[in-house]
């Protein structure tokens, strides 16, 4: 496996393997001591334990059926619309080997990995593929490329790992201009490490595993591990304001960016002055979350930290979702949240427990039932750091959790979560093969608004996706915790409407988004806006807020070539 | 004393008292258990202990002389230039009682409290006073006022506590239009408290002491305590990106703002969605540090936290500045920095120790000398929080400090610093009375660049301010610490050039700023840009960065009425 393998075209996992294998080199105590082998068999009957399959069938009114994707060779791809003169100019700038318009390259850069992306790719639709893929090697080349494309009227979509789940790589343009993807794969190395200042300088195309490997030799870590960790790039994290699974402790990706270089059609911006500055408004914060609409991030300075000397992951159970939320809120108020916090609601807890196999898991389920936690909520918590401080924090948190009625399930549950932390997107492909709708959405709200938002989203999804004899399964967990609130991550499963699958999801998504905004949630906590959320951006930041973003864009990208299909509403 | 007393016109302290008295209701264990009474006698010989006075005279080549300010009645004030029609329209909008153009009101709203501000006011110059002072009572009134002033061509300078030390309230305008100050004193209450979400909603004119008092009844605290705490407003902290003395622990003010309302000539922006969002670039970060150039902050949502159950402040000594920096850098890398960190360089340490009186302090000085720390660096550290966690953090930090060669001086030194934490601006007035130049400046840099920046600033100030028989005293401390670096706070004392005092400081300030930027420091860590730093903004954020800020301003303030004299270079 190459150090930075490409994603397969129609699903998740390294390109070339339909039967994906998770080889995330990460285990309980660091990145290098365990290899998780989840064999995601194309047959869903082999992927899910029988009990889980039975539960899903009963809940959803779903009978597994075979709905495989079309062969890759049958995916339709229109001829490249890149004008010959433009191609020549770009080749002159970047070299022939860095301007690709062959079928495979265009297909591997078509869209991202949302449910809608996968639906399209699985039926052979690649209408969102770029007309060509450029691979600049430096900030200077990227800036020149942007200026050239601005002059030539060519749309530019930055491409990192291609893992967007909100249509961030749609490449659509109201004026229907040719589109190039700018793949940052050539700018993917660690360029400098300032150990005393805990700062590393990296190329935007570098990925988490490669960076962690390089940092490990110095006893350091970045610690940012979202579910897309194996494939997403550092530049992509910055462009989308990502949050990792330990973000409660190490912070959102925003918090880890000390500075970055943004190449724009109007020139190059060097943003961020670590450790902190009061020299005017924060311009770095304009680049974070700009999703390619202002230019291309060509370099990042990130905050690193020593590898934790100890890690402690464990499972707990609350008797109810309300009790779980109350317990975490108390921890949050007192700055006692662990570094990893993940509270599953009863629906998610049930499926999680059914997915576990073996005598240990049967005993766990029986134990929970006997203590009247049979409809309870699973909590996974994790602490990382110096042993003495971890112990003190853990003791204080334990006492709050126990006061809130939680019971401790031990380290085995924590270890099981750690082993499976990157597995969900692999499993999704198998569920798609078997006739299911599978998608996620997420939001965040204050602790006060959180229960309302939770109820509103569930109700909206249920109402939208229920059909005679069918109903969705809506599983939610609280992930990232903050003193002021927390995020909610929702996984939706439903029997797919094979006639109008896209319409089925768009309707449900619209209902859920309207509901969560009305209840006080944010449009997105860490997936970004992309195409999928842009109709609601004005509701989130106000029409004047959108005007401000447009004014910034007009300054940096006067021809509107930078990823025009995303973020800003038409 | 009124709950929110106005500052005296020509110096620091509550209006009406030339002999100021610090009555900061804050002691070692919370806001209400101690009252520090520092009698700042107009005679400097009574304010400074003899040893300190002797040391200063010797160091500076300065002989105390009496240079008192002119009587307030002798301050020159030009007639208000507010057109009668504009005054009538504003009265109609706000009511007669909220449009003031009397002499006292205009004088109390003239400029801020920088050395240059005080020099002008002390010689009777109030040419920067506004033509009138408006006091709107709501967001709606403020927005209407801004639109009206935009239509009428009247410059608006928001006025909180009037504590700017960078010329943030200069009210200057290239087009020489009439200027009104918008005093936020009527919008100064706590409006809502969401305890589960740790969020408080406040008016921008509220000050720290009033908010802390209101929060204390709920067992909560904001915890933001800069030196200007008694007078500065919460809106002002946001507009200038303030940092408090415990910011290493509780965060910069930026980190405490979950949301705010910004009234602009183009409409009202509601910014920030707690706890966190990935819905596009961070627009809240554009309002923070905007220094009134985009509009007026009319409401804030701030993060609060439980009052710490325990606080532990203590003193340490390092044998040298380099050893001190290295020790703190090691703490920072391992996330072990205490909540308060303040490392004085040898020059500041010497004066601090000489300012202390009594047998205890004599014994301390002797003890330090005997352990070869006579030229050492004083470190004050403070921890706050739950006792068990404070103990664990304190133990871990202690071991790092000892490994770095530091010796512990105990709690008495920490308590002495706490008692004096708001005293410096009072003392400054007395030193100004006695013929001194007294000013501060600050910056921040990565741990790697910090020693360079320190040397460069000192050298520049020495070179600029030395005259035959005279030399400046440049005292520096590291305050706010971060994993990636720290801030430096520099106090400069010199014999004042009574002929050209303004020129004397402008020359020194220019030299220091050029030097710190060249060495890798930031233009300002927490004082903001104002008039004083705006010539360097383009160097800090690049010409394209300035263009972006201008584009945002043009969108929100098309007539350029919002505090045009500050932040953005002409």
């Amino acid at each position: 496996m190459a150090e930075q393998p490409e994603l397969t075209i129609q699903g998740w996992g390294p390109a070339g393997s339909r039967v994906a294998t998770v080889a995330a080199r990460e285990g309980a105590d660091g990145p290098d001591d365990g290899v998780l082998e989840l064999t995601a068999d194309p047959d869903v009957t082999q992927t899910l334990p029988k009990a889980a399959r039975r539960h899903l069938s009963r809940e959803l009114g779903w009978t597994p059926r075979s709905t495989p994707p079309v062969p890759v060779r049958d995916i339709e791809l229109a001829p490249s619309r890149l004008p010959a003169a433009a191609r020549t100019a770009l080749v002159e700038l970047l070299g022939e080997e860095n301007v690709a318009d062959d079928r495979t390259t265009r297909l591997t850069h078509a869209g991202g990995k949302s449910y809608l992306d996968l639906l399209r790719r699985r039926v052979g639709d690649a209408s969102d593929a770029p007309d060509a893929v450029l691979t600049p090697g430096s900030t200077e080349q990227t800036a020149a490329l942007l200026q050239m494309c601005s002059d030539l009227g060519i749309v530019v979509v930055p491409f990192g790992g291609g893992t967007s789940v909100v249509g961030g790589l749609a490449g659509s343009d109201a004026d229907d201009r040719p589109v190039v993807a700018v793949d940052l794969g050539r700018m993917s190395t660690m360029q400098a490490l300032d150990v005393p200042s805990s700062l590393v300088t990296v190329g935007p195309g570098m990925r988490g595993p490669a960076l962690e490997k390089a940092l490990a030799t110095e006893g350091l870590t970045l610690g940012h591990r979202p579910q897309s960790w194996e494939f997403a790039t550092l530049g992509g994290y910055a462009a989308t304001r990502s949050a990792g699974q330990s973000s409660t402790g190490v912070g959102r990706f925003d918090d880890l960016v000390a500075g970055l270089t943004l190449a724009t059609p109007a020139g190059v911006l060097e943003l961020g002055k670590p450790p902190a500055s009061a020299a005017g408004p924060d311009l770095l914060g304009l680049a974070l979350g700009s999703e390619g609409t202002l230019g291309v991030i060509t370099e990042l300075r990130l905050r690193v930290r020593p590898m934790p000397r100890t890690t402690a992951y464990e499972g707990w159970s609350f008797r109810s979702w309300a009790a779980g939320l109350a317990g975490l809120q108390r921890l949050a108020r007192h700055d006692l949240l662990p570094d990893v916090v993940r509270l599953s609601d009863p629906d998610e807890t049930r499926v999680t427990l059914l997915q576990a196999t073996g005598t240990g898991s049967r005993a766990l389920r029986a134990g929970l039932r006997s203590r009247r936690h049979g409809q309870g909520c699973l909590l996974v918590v994790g602490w990382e750091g110096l042993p003495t401080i971890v112990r003190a924090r853990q003791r204080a948190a334990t006492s709050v959790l126990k006061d809130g009625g939680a019971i401790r399930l031990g380290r085995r549950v924590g270890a099981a979560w750690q082993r499976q932390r990157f597995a969900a997107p692999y499993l999704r492909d198998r569920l798609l093969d078997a006739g299911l709708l599978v998608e996620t959405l997420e939001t965040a709200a204050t602790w006060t608004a959180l229960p309302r938002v939770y109820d509103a989203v569930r109700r909206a999804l249920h109402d939208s996706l229920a059909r005679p004899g069918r109903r969705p399964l809506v599983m939610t967990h609280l992930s990232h915790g903050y003193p002021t609130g927390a995020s909610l991550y929702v996984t939706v499963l439903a029997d797919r409407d094979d006639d109008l699958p896209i319409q089925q999801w768009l309707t449900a998504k619209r209902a859920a988004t309207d509901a969560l905004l009305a209840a006080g949630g944010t449009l997105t906590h860490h997936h970004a806006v992309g195409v999928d959320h842009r109709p609601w951006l004005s509701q989130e930041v106000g029409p004047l807020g959108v005007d401000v973003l447009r004014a910034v864009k007009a300054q940096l990208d006067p021809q509107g070539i930078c990823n025009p299909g995303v973020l800003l509403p038409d």
Side-chain angles (χ1 to χ4, degrees), chain A:
Chain A
M1 190 161 73
E3 192 166 69
Q4 300 210 142
E6 276 189 324
L7 269 173
T8 184
I9 291 170
Q10 293 168 303
W12 198 258
S17 67
R18 253 296 285 165
V19 183
T21 303
V22 185
R25 301 206 138 268
E26 164 145 286
D29 295 303
D32 266 317
D33 75 345
V35 174
L36 160 69
E37 294 285 347
L38 171 83
T39 305
D41 196 284
D43 181 356
V44 73
T45 60
Q46 302 299 314
T47 306
L48 279 181
K50 200 171 161 190
R53 221 162 59 237
R54 225 165 31 203
H55 175 71
L56 288 185
S57 294
R58 198 173 50 230
E59 283 286 313
L60 301 167
W62 158 68
T63 311
R65 59 187 184 277
S66 180
T67 59
V70 304
V72 169
R73 65 174 178 277
D74 292 347
I75 298 177
E76 278 181 49
L77 182 69
S80 172
R81 301 171 305 156
L82 188 68
R87 192 182 192 291
T88 306
L90 288 166
V91 165
E92 203 163 302
L93 176 67
L94 302 171
E96 180 69 46
E97 69 281 16
N98 296 312
V99 181
D101 47 12
D102 61 283
R103 175 180 166 84
T104 302
T105 303
R106 289 178 62 206
L107 282 184
T108 52
H109 292 79
K113 297 298 175 192
S114 72
Y115 173 61
L116 297 181
D117 283 324
L118 298 188
L119 280 182
R120 289 194 200 95
R121 226 68 69 230
R122 292 169 65 94
V123 299
D125 174 358
S127 52
D128 46 3
D131 294 300
V133 178
L134 313 180
T135 42
S138 66
T139 297
E140 296 65 35
Q141 278 196 347
T142 310
L145 171 172
L146 285 167
Q147 210 184 326
M148 184 178 281
C149 288
S150 187
D151 292 344
L152 295 170
I154 295 170
V155 163
V156 171
V157 179
F159 190 97
T163 60
S164 172
V165 288
V166 292
L169 303 160
S172 63
D173 176 40
D175 298 329
D176 211 23
R177 294 170 288 187
V179 176
V180 294
V182 171
D183 187 310
L184 297 155
R186 275 177 70 211
M187 299 160 73
S188 58
T189 55
M190 187 166 96
Q191 288 150 24
L193 179 62
D194 177 353
V195 173
S197 306
S198 296
L199 286 169
V200 63
T201 306
V202 298
M206 196 175 200
R207 299 187 193 171
L211 178 58
E212 293 294 354
K213 200 173 159 194
L215 291 174
T217 64
E218 302 282 340
L220 298 171
T221 180
L222 178 70
H224 184 75
R225 283 188 179 72
Q227 203 172 57
S228 58
W229 183 71
E230 298 160 88
F231 299 100
T233 58
L234 299 165
Y237 294 145
T240 58
R241 307 184 73 182
S242 167
Q245 292 168 343
S246 313
S247 76
T248 302
V250 306
R252 297 164 62 78
F253 198 71
D254 288 5
D255 303 321
L256 303 179
V257 181
L260 60 76
T261 305
L262 182 72
T264 80
V268 175
L269 282 166
E270 298 285 351
L271 303 172
K273 197 96 175 197
S277 175
D282 179 27
L283 295 175
L284 174 57
L286 279 181
L288 300 173
S290 60
E291 304 186 21
T293 62
L294 304 178
V296 180
I297 295 167
T298 57
E299 193 169 286
L300 293 152
R301 289 179 84 187
L302 304 175
R303 181 215 161 166
V304 296
R305 62 189 77 217
M307 201 89 80
R309 294 224 191 124
T310 190
T311 60
Y313 282 75
E314 57 186 29
W316 289 75
S317 172
F318 276 103
R319 197 166 286 162
S320 72
W321 178 243
L325 288 185
L328 293 186
Q329 180 265 311
R330 272 194 296 276
L331 287 179
R333 277 197 66 205
H334 293 277
D335 263 337
L336 287 176
L337 281 176
D339 300 308
V340 171
V341 185
R342 187 186 163 104
L343 175 71
S344 295
D345 75 349
D347 278 322
E348 184 169 287
T349 298
R350 204 171 304 124
V351 171
T352 303
L353 292 176
L354 287 172
Q355 272 186 275
T357 50
T359 35
S361 59
R362 270 197 301 276
L364 175 64
R365 287 194 289 268
L368 285 170
R369 272 196 305 272
S370 77
R371 297 173 76 171
R372 296 185 30 231
H373 276 243
Q375 305 297 315
C377 291
L378 188 64
L379 170 68
V380 173
V381 289
W383 287 269
E384 303 183 337
L386 288 181
T388 52
I389 294 177
V390 163
R391 266 199 304 277
R393 293 173 60 211
Q394 198 172 1
R395 257 191 229 120
T398 294
S399 126
V400 172
L401 289 172
K402 284 188 173 162
D403 284 353
I407 55 179
R408 185 186 239 145
L409 307 179
R411 296 203 162 208
R412 192 182 267 191
V413 173
W417 172 76
Q418 275 195 292
R419 277 196 306 276
Q420 296 290 329
R421 62 197 291 186
F422 304 119
Y426 294 88
L427 177 59
R428 178 179 59 166
D429 285 345
R430 300 298 77 72
L431 298 175
L432 295 182
D433 289 344
L436 281 183
L437 174 163
V438 189
E439 184 54 307
T440 63
L441 56 86
E442 38 79 65
T443 183
T446 63
W447 290 108
T448 298
L450 212 57
R452 264 201 317 273
V453 173
Y454 172 78
D455 290 339
V457 173
R458 278 173 63 83
R459 195 173 321 117
L461 288 169
H462 275 281
D463 290 353
S464 172
L465 289 168
R467 290 183 292 160
R470 309 270 193 281
R471 56 177 191 171
L473 179 60
V474 180
M475 301 177 291
T476 306
H477 62 261
L478 179 156
S479 39
H480 323 275
Y482 303 84
T484 54
S487 69
L488 293 177
Y489 192 89
V490 182
T491 303
V492 190
L493 267 62
D495 189 62
R496 187 161 70 229
D497 178 344
D498 283 327
D499 296 329
L500 292 168
I502 289 181
Q503 198 52 48
Q504 179 190 27
W505 175 244
L506 284 180
T507 306
K509 171 80 177 178
R510 188 177 313 122
T513 308
D514 285 342
L516 70 88
L517 284 175
T522 182
L523 184 51
T524 167
H525 167 264
H526 63 271
H527 281 172
V529 178
V531 165
D532 295 3
H533 296 135
R534 72 179 187 152
W536 289 273
L537 185 69
S538 174
Q539 205 171 322
E540 175 92 9
V541 304
L544 191 55
V546 174
D547 287 346
V548 169
L549 290 175
R550 280 192 209 286
V552 173
K553 183 171 171 72
Q555 185 67 44
L556 297 175
D557 174 26
Q559 300 304 317
I561 59 152
C562 293
N563 213 5
V566 307
L567 184 58
L568 293 165
D570 277 331

